[in-house]
Amino acid sequence: MKISNNIRLSLLTGVLTGIIISLIDVLSKIIVWSFEWFELYLIILTTLIITTTLFLIFGITIEIVKKIMKINNEKIRIIYFSVSITFIILFYMIVIINQLLIPGGIPNKENTLIIPSNILTLIFSIILFIIIIFSPLTKKIIKKMVNKKTKTIIHNFIFFIIIFIFSCYTIDIYLQEQIPTHVSTIDKEQPNIIFITLDTLRADHLGTYGYEKNTTPFIDEIANQSILFENAISTSSWTLPSHTSMFTGKYLSEHNVTLQNQYVSKNEILLHEILHDMGYATAGFIGGTYCKNKYGIAQGIEYYNDRISLFSGEHTFDKLNLKRTINLILSIFITNFEQTDNIILRQVYNFAIVSNKIFNTLLFSNAERNSEQINNYLFKWLDNNKNEKFYLFINYFDVHEPYNLGKKYRDIFTDDEYDYSKNATIENIEKYVNIRKTSYDAEIRYLDDNIQLLFNKLENLEILNNTLIILVSDHGEEFYDHSAFGHGNTLYEEVIHVPLIIYYPQKIQPNRISERVSIVDLYPTILELLNQTYNKENINGKSLIPLMNNSENFNERAIFSELFGRWNYGVSTQQAIYEKEWKYTNVTPENLFLSKVNSSLFNLELDPKELNNLIQENITLKNELQTILNNFGN
């Protein structure tokens, strides 16, 4: 067998293995009806790329071994067949075992069964491979597969798959470039509305909120012409429920979008729907996964541009997906061997880190698209619809991890030269925090530049002066403020104190408002600015117009924030209440392995960084606030 024939056989085996796995994945998505149409061809394409690459590497190895051990052609066919069958069985065994052991798909060190179970699965697969390779049945199957009729069927089927992928890809690219023109029917005197969410942006990292670094020169300039709320509180510390609150005027206890229920009910009346019914042309441009239409957040929006990347099929049914399973296995190694002192396990950890980075960089990075990419589509839409009255929802995702943008700005915030991936280590926590903050700040500056380009575009189109623009964040980010990183695990100020700026100089006098408000208040505020009626009894939000007009008719009330965790993920259920200077957070159960928080009571006037838990010294106050929480949502 020539080397070209050996490689051809390895590629053919990889293609057939990939087709079997991908078609089962496609069928599972169709059965549970959880997919976006382009996923169907992309699943096949990405799976084929993975399996073909793996078998090509295996084929090169076989070629080397063949020359040493004098393996004949028949034995090579048996090896390829045995490896293919074993690979498929191993894949589904890993899927089943890890679905049972990791029901949420997030590995953690607390589960001591994960590593042994996967090792046992691998050992079983090796035994299975030996059984298959020496089975008389294997020779019979291969003999049937190599006859001319069977080979013709296989080649024609592969050709059909290739045509299917190419046709879908061509249609997909065409559809992505189509920007529609809408017709609005609302009174031309009404303003355009642009609702911008700055995903993951904590308030204390903006210059206009007192940050010492120059992260937001343009937003600071806009804030001076706007209403700025100094103490705006998000309803949760992650994207989907917070956005749902903004667009329904309701807390999580009311709209019920949580970690357990990641979908906005069709019974909810979203802000988008009201504005669409008023006659606005409506459109959305999305940077992050959890604002995609699949979560029900786009109800009422005519054109929703939420295709984050070519391979953007994240968060639909993917339990039988090869890509997800490989990522899961790599994550298991990374999570469990991160702090090991064992030399061999440390090498396994390093291999997993490098493999994960290469794997996701080359093919499957679909967690975000940046503001520059969003603006590319957005500006085309504005060119087509500048003469209509429109409502735009824009979700800029730049500030969210990974910190891969704004590199040219990093020297503004630090004099150190570093490689983020190598120099950031837990062993040097202070350096690690500073590096993350510097990268975060550079992302903010990058976003600030692109927001300026948006304002410039609106000005060039001569529509800025009659456009109401809301700038708000859905949640912040932790930088070891309370011994953790990220968001979605706690309700500390760093993750729920968010910037809120309303720009409408034609009708609103600039002002800074210190009263504490909630993002649920945006829903009634926008509708009242448009003189649109709504059912006040069905929402939790309260119009901020009295505050904006310096009226004394605004009575401060308790503000809430909630995080309904999944305990098996390590995230506890948390409810926070703000009452005057006090903030009480009830945590159930306490000190889970991911949240790592307990119930707390802080005096934010004296302790804005929440460092001194006063819950034991103020049991009476704690009980009073707990009573309010118990009645909240009932």
Side-chain angles (χ1 to χ4, degrees):
M1 180 181 286
K2 296 179 181 179
I3 184 170
S4 59
N5 291 334
N6 177 46
I7 296 301
R8 189 181 301 119
L9 182 58
S10 70
L11 292 173
L12 178 63
T13 308
V15 168
L16 290 175
T17 304
I19 287 174
I20 292 171
I21 292 174
S22 61
L23 289 182
I24 292 174
D25 189 7
V26 166
L27 184 61
S28 70
K29 284 178 173 289
I30 294 173
I31 290 173
V32 300
W33 206 250
S34 175
F35 63 91
E36 296 179 89
W37 80 267
F38 53 82
E39 288 183 84
L40 302 183
Y41 88 88
L42 287 176
I43 285 168
I44 300 173
L45 175 61
T46 54
T47 305
L48 286 177
I49 291 172
I50 296 170
T51 55
T52 304
T53 301
L54 291 176
F55 275 90
L56 177 60
I57 294 171
F58 181 71
I60 295 171
T61 306
I62 286 292
E63 184 63 28
I64 297 171
V65 173
K66 179 172 73 80
K67 290 181 178 180
I68 298 173
M69 301 183 64
K70 307 294 183 183
I71 304 174
N72 61 38
N73 296 347
E74 183 182 5
K75 287 182 179 179
I76 288 177
R77 291 193 188 99
I78 292 173
I79 290 172
Y80 278 121
F81 177 82
S82 302
V83 169
S84 176
I85 298 299
T86 305
F87 182 87
I88 294 170
I89 294 173
L90 172 64
F91 168 68
Y92 289 110
M93 286 181 65
I94 289 174
V95 167
I96 293 169
I97 286 174
N98 288 293
Q99 288 298 327
L100 293 174
L101 294 179
I102 318 174
I106 303 176
N108 65 80
K109 298 175 185 177
E110 309 296 319
N111 193 333
T112 57
L113 295 175
I114 296 175
I115 295 294
S117 298
N118 282 285
I119 291 175
L120 287 174
T121 302
L122 182 60
I123 293 172
F124 175 82
S125 299
I126 294 172
I127 296 172
L128 180 64
F129 170 75
I130 295 171
I131 293 172
I132 294 172
I133 203 169
F134 290 108
S135 171
L137 182 61
T138 301
K139 289 185 178 181
K140 293 180 181 178
I141 295 174
I142 292 174
K143 190 173 182 180
K144 289 185 178 180
M145 290 183 67
V146 297
N147 68 54
K148 187 174 181 180
K149 184 177 180 181
T150 304
K151 288 171 70 175
T152 301
I153 293 173
I154 291 173
H155 291 157
N156 287 341
F157 185 63
I158 292 174
F159 179 74
F160 168 78
I161 293 293
I162 293 172
I163 294 298
F164 172 76
I165 292 173
F166 179 77
S167 301
C168 289
Y169 175 77
T170 303
I171 295 170
D172 195 10
I173 295 300
Y174 172 79
L175 292 177
Q176 287 187 61
E177 296 302 317
Q178 299 308 298
I179 305 296
T181 300
H182 302 281
V183 176
S184 62
T185 58
I186 195 169
D187 187 342
K188 294 298 182 182
E189 296 302 313
Q190 290 281 31
N192 300 310
I193 305 166
I194 302 181
F195 196 118
I196 303 174
T197 58
L198 311 171
D199 212 293
T200 321
L201 181 58
R202 54 190 278 177
D204 62 357
H205 274 247
L206 282 77
T208 190
Y209 280 84
Y211 196 43
E212 68 276 8
K213 297 182 179 180
N214 191 25
T215 52
T216 51
F218 181 73
I219 293 178
D220 297 346
E221 180 184 331
I222 290 300
N224 292 331
Q225 307 168 49
S226 309
I227 295 283
L228 182 145
F229 294 89
E230 296 176 343
N231 291 292
I233 303 300
S234 181
T235 56
S236 193
S237 58
W238 68 286
T239 300
L240 184 58
S242 299
H243 278 82
T244 306
S245 290
M246 289 187 240
F247 298 140
T248 62
K250 297 179 180 181
Y251 289 111
L252 276 67
S253 295
E254 295 290 332
H255 63 59
N256 195 37
V257 175
T258 64
L259 282 167
Q260 299 94 328
N261 177 44
Q262 298 182 10
Y263 190 79
V264 183
S265 169
K266 294 187 183 300
N267 295 326
E268 295 292 348
I269 302 175
L270 273 63
L271 177 66
H272 321 315
E273 295 177 275
I274 296 177
L275 297 176
H276 176 266
D277 292 344
M278 288 174 63
Y280 276 100
T282 55
F285 296 84
I286 306 307
T289 298
Y290 274 113
C291 283
K292 288 173 73 70
N293 182 42
K294 69 180 80 172
Y295 298 105
I297 199 71
Q299 297 171 34
I301 296 183
E302 299 167 82
Y303 173 67
Y304 205 65
N305 188 309
D306 63 348
R307 185 70 176 276
I308 295 171
S309 72
L310 177 63
F311 295 97
S312 177
E314 195 173 83
H315 290 203
T316 54
F317 183 82
D318 60 358
K319 292 182 179 180
L320 301 181
N321 186 259
L322 181 61
K323 178 195 80 171
R324 177 187 184 274
T325 303
I326 292 175
N327 270 326
L328 180 62
I329 295 300
L330 293 173
S331 297
I332 289 172
F333 288 125
I334 291 170
T335 302
N336 285 273
F337 300 151
E338 181 179 10
Q339 297 180 347
T340 183
D341 294 325
N342 185 289
I343 296 176
I344 296 175
L345 295 183
R346 193 68 196 173
Q347 292 305 313
V348 172
Y349 168 78
N350 291 333
F351 174 78
I353 286 286
V354 173
S355 300
N356 191 59
K357 186 173 183 180
I358 294 173
F359 184 71
N360 286 287
T361 301
L362 292 179
L363 280 177
F364 311 113
S365 179
N366 64 351
E368 67 169 323
R369 61 175 170 176
N370 61 47
S371 51
E372 182 178 350
Q373 293 168 320
I374 289 175
N375 282 353
N376 179 50
Y377 289 102
L378 172 59
F379 290 0
K380 292 177 183 177
W381 190 93
L382 286 170
D383 287 332
N384 287 357
N385 295 277
K386 61 181 180 291
N387 296 321
E388 304 299 326
K389 286 298 173 183
F390 58 78
Y391 162 75
L392 284 177
F393 164 45
I394 305 170
N395 168 242
Y396 285 134
F397 205 72
D398 304 35
V399 182
H400 197 289
E401 281 194 290
Y403 302 139
N404 53 2
L405 304 171
K407 293 180 181 178
K408 67 179 180 179
Y409 299 114
R410 289 182 185 171
D411 59 353
I412 298 175
F413 306 113
T414 181
D415 294 328
D416 293 338
E417 293 184 6
Y418 56 83
D419 182 336
Y420 173 79
S421 62
K422 293 180 180 178
N423 294 343
T425 61
I426 286 296
E427 286 75 16
N428 187 347
I429 193 64
E430 185 177 350
K431 173 108 177 141
Y432 184 53
V433 170
N434 288 336
I435 287 173
R436 288 181 68 93
K437 281 187 176 180
T438 297
S439 301
Y440 180 80
D441 290 341
E443 306 274 308
I444 297 173
R445 184 60 181 267
Y446 176 88
L447 172 61
D448 186 77
D449 278 0
N450 283 297
I451 290 175
Q452 182 174 9
L453 292 177
L454 171 59
F455 274 73
N456 291 344
K457 179 68 173 179
L458 295 170
E459 190 169 26
N460 291 338
L461 294 174
E462 299 181 350
I463 55 178
L464 177 62
N465 289 336
N466 193 31
T467 300
L468 166 64
I469 302 176
I470 296 92
L471 292 168
V472 63
S473 176
D474 55 346
H475 59 79
E477 186 80 348
E478 294 188 67
F479 293 108
Y480 216 66
D481 309 73
H482 291 88
S483 303
F485 296 96
H487 54 268
N489 301 319
T490 72
L491 292 177
Y492 288 116
E493 290 296 278
E494 54 266 25
V495 285
I496 59 174
H497 178 207
V498 295
L500 172 55
I501 298 167
I502 299 179
Y503 174 89
Y504 190 24
Q506 189 179 61
K507 293 284 182 72
I508 299 174
Q509 291 297 314
N511 195 9
R512 296 180 71 95
I513 296 172
S514 60
E515 282 84 353
R516 187 173 287 113
V517 300
S518 171
I519 60 172
V520 295
D521 300 329
L522 286 169
Y523 183 96
T525 302
I526 293 171
L527 293 177
E528 288 196 14
L529 282 171
L530 302 175
N531 296 314
Q532 175 65 25
T533 58
Y534 60 95
N535 191 336
K536 297 181 180 181
E537 302 300 320
N538 284 349
I539 65 171
N540 302 118
K542 184 177 181 181
S543 174
L544 300 176
I545 290 180
L547 275 178
M548 294 160 65
N549 292 335
N550 294 313
S551 169
E552 296 182 359
N553 277 338
F554 188 88
N555 296 320
E556 287 197 63
R557 78 289 193 205
I559 299 291
F560 300 91
S561 188
E562 301 171 283
L563 181 64
F564 293 99
R566 289 180 287 191
W567 299 353
N568 58 326
Y569 281 30
V571 181
S572 54
T573 294
Q574 301 164 49
Q575 286 184 295
I577 175 174
Y578 293 80
E579 185 69 43
K580 297 181 179 178
E581 72 271 26
W582 294 97
K583 176 185 177 183
Y584 166 63
T585 305
N586 180 53
V587 179
T588 308
E590 297 187 335
N591 202 31
L592 283 183
F593 60 84
L594 195 55
S595 295
K596 296 180 181 177
V597 291
N598 299 310
S599 296
S600 59
L601 179 66
F602 297 106
N603 185 320
L604 294 180
E605 284 188 4
L606 302 177
D607 181 25
K609 294 186 180 298
E610 300 172 289
L611 300 177
N612 185 20
N613 188 353
L614 301 174
I615 196 167
Q616 296 302 325
E617 295 90 331
N618 295 273
I619 297 297
T620 301
L621 176 59
K622 174 257 182 185
N623 290 337
E624 290 174 358
L625 295 175
Q626 183 61 54
T627 300
I628 299 175
L629 276 180
N630 292 341
N631 294 327
F632 172 62
N634 295 330

